[in-house]
Amino acid sequence: MYCQTLRFSSQDGKEVVINSTKGDIVDGKTKELAGIAAAIAGHCQKCFSYHYNEAKKLGIVAGEINETVEFAKAIRSAGNQGMDEFVDKMLDQKR
């Protein structure tokens, strides 16, 4: 197992450094599909582009990527709604 460091600029121009551990437990296909889902959940366009391109290089077909994207969007949407409700509830308690 080894550590890979990824460096890029975020959308607001700040440098982002990500240290990811590479090993033999999770295969590349799973990592890239998880990366796509995490990028969507994290609203990171550069992350999505990176993981999308890596997925294509690995031969992951469009159907698998599309299913992952739709799954991630549904989870993100539910999380956003739940978070909005949580914030509103907290604010109501503090008034």
Side-chain angles (χ1 to χ4, degrees):
M1 191 178 318
Y2 64 95
C3 186
Q4 176 186 26
T5 301
L6 304 172
R7 293 179 183 274
F8 58 92
S9 296
S10 65
Q11 293 174 358
D12 60 3
K14 295 179 183 174
E15 182 181 41
V16 177
V17 179
I18 300 172
N19 292 310
S20 66
T21 303
K22 292 232 176 187
D24 297 328
I25 298 171
V26 179
D27 64 280
K29 177 180 174 178
T30 302
K31 286 181 183 178
E32 295 312 327
L33 291 175
I36 287 170
I40 291 168
H43 304 274
C44 182
Q45 294 174 5
K46 288 184 178 187
C47 299
F48 179 84
S49 294
Y50 173 81
H51 290 290
Y52 175 81
N53 290 327
E54 291 299 306
K56 296 303 277 181
K57 287 180 195 174
L58 288 174
I60 300 173
V61 297
E64 291 173 298
I65 294 171
N66 292 341
E67 185 174 344
T68 299
V69 166
E70 292 308 314
F71 185 63
K73 285 180 180 180
I75 292 170
R76 182 193 62 204
S77 177
N80 286 346
Q81 180 183 359
M83 187 62 182
D84 290 347
E85 291 168 1
F86 173 78
V87 169
D88 291 343
K89 182 178 176 181
M90 291 296 295
L91 290 175
D92 286 343
Q93 289 177 0
K94 302 295 180 190
R95 290 183 187 154

